[in-house]
Amino acid sequence: MSGHSKWATTKHKKAVIDSRRAKSWAKLIKNIEVAAKLGGADMQGNPTLYDAVQKAKKTSVPKDNIDRAVKRGAGIGGESVEYTSITYEGYGPNGVALMIECLTDNKNRAAAEVRTALSRNGGTLADPGSVAYNFTRKGVIVVSGEGTTEDDVMLAVLEAGADDVEPHPAGFEVITEATDLVTVRTALQDAGIDYESADVEFVPNLKVEVDADTARKVFRLIDALEDSEDVQSVFSNFDLSAEVQAELEADAEE
């Protein structure tokens, strides 16, 4: 029976991973469509589209899916897409601040799903502006740490206008002004340094350290929000100490 139970658990985990991957692909495709609609299908002349396509490739989205998304977004072949961008502000457990970015073709559905995810997981919607003041739009480039040192990254990006280089689970995070993102990303490429993603994000001006129990609740809330295909990204101001990170990693191993 233990073997059967283990297989059932493994199958369930695989189903969850497959489901999340499908939703992730759908969101990446949507980003490509919007970028192509706004700036055209030429990636050399549309850096937002270039970054959206690169991110999709890094996540193993098939090339045919990417090509079709570019054509749909640009209106090539008669297909067209229409999405609305909405940003919701909210609070999670213990007052953790949240910025929730949506791309949707149904504003009522997006609002209902965000509200439901928040209310079921210890969060609340906030009034416009009550959370946003604590965040600034910044360019964020995640650089792989394999074969690359922090000095290598700093040397490549500081003269290009980067604000800072910070540690990241995947390696390093390069922070730039939103308007300098493409310039700094290009400087990394020119230096032969690979990057995982390059996006404009909501970066908190002040982070709040939380304990492990609060972190677990916040992660559950973020997972619930990201289960909605209308939710593209969730940004928060919580921070974790090394001790809390270790405790959460021990949870994951159980």
Side-chain angles (χ1 to χ4, degrees):
M1 284 298 292
S2 62
H4 174 76
S5 299
K6 183 178 180 183
W7 166 239
T9 304
T10 303
K11 244 189 347 182
H12 172 69
K13 285 182 178 176
K14 183 179 184 302
V16 169
I17 291 168
D18 288 348
S19 170
R20 286 188 175 170
R21 182 172 65 177
K23 286 179 179 174
S24 171
W25 282 10
K27 294 177 184 187
L28 293 166
I29 290 294
K30 201 182 286 186
N31 270 341
I32 291 170
E33 291 171 344
V34 170
K37 184 178 180 69
L38 293 175
D42 176 18
M43 281 195 284
Q44 297 310 311
N46 185 349
T48 304
L49 176 61
Y50 178 90
D51 285 328
V53 167
Q54 290 302 107
K55 192 171 185 178
K57 287 180 177 177
K58 293 276 187 184
T59 319
S60 302
V61 177
K63 184 177 183 299
D64 286 350
N65 296 38
I66 292 171
D67 291 343
R68 285 196 297 270
V70 172
K71 288 177 181 176
R72 274 196 306 273
I76 298 169
E79 288 188 87
S80 63
V81 292
E82 199 65 53
Y83 295 116
T84 301
S85 176
I86 313 169
T87 300
Y88 295 100
E89 301 174 40
Y91 293 105
N94 287 3
V96 167
L98 300 167
M99 297 293 290
I100 305 155
E101 286 188 323
C102 297
L103 269 179
T104 182
D105 56 3
N106 186 325
K107 291 190 284 186
N108 291 334
R109 181 188 64 221
E113 290 187 357
V114 167
R115 192 177 290 109
T116 298
L118 286 167
S119 63
R120 288 181 178 174
N121 293 277
T124 55
L125 270 179
D127 293 331
S130 60
V131 170
Y133 78 91
N134 190 37
F135 291 81
T136 303
R137 292 292 272 174
K138 292 279 191 179
V140 179
I141 306 169
V142 177
V143 179
S144 171
E146 291 184 21
T148 305
T149 67
E150 187 172 354
D151 286 344
D152 293 335
V153 176
M154 292 186 77
L155 191 64
V157 302
L158 288 182
E159 285 191 16
D163 292 344
D164 200 7
V165 177
E166 301 175 354
H168 183 274
F172 308 101
E173 202 169 66
V174 180
I175 310 297
T176 79
E177 293 301 316
T179 51
D180 292 334
L181 176 66
V182 175
T183 303
V184 175
R185 185 255 288 157
T186 303
L188 282 168
Q189 291 173 303
D190 290 345
I193 297 174
D194 192 23
Y195 70 98
E196 297 297 316
S197 62
D199 297 293
V200 176
E201 302 182 358
F202 284 105
V203 175
N205 302 321
L206 182 66
K207 292 184 178 180
V208 178
E209 201 167 285
V210 300
D211 60 24
D213 185 52
T214 300
R216 292 184 190 101
K217 291 175 181 175
V218 172
F219 284 134
R220 278 197 295 271
L221 170 55
I222 292 174
D223 280 347
L225 286 164
E226 290 183 340
D227 268 345
S228 168
E229 288 188 12
D230 289 326
V231 174
Q232 289 294 105
S233 306
V234 181
F235 305 102
S236 182
N237 69 336
F238 75 93
D239 199 11
L240 306 177
S241 68
E243 292 77 16
V244 169
Q245 287 187 55
E247 189 173 336
L248 295 176
E249 286 168 8
D251 287 352
E253 290 172 4
E254 289 178 1

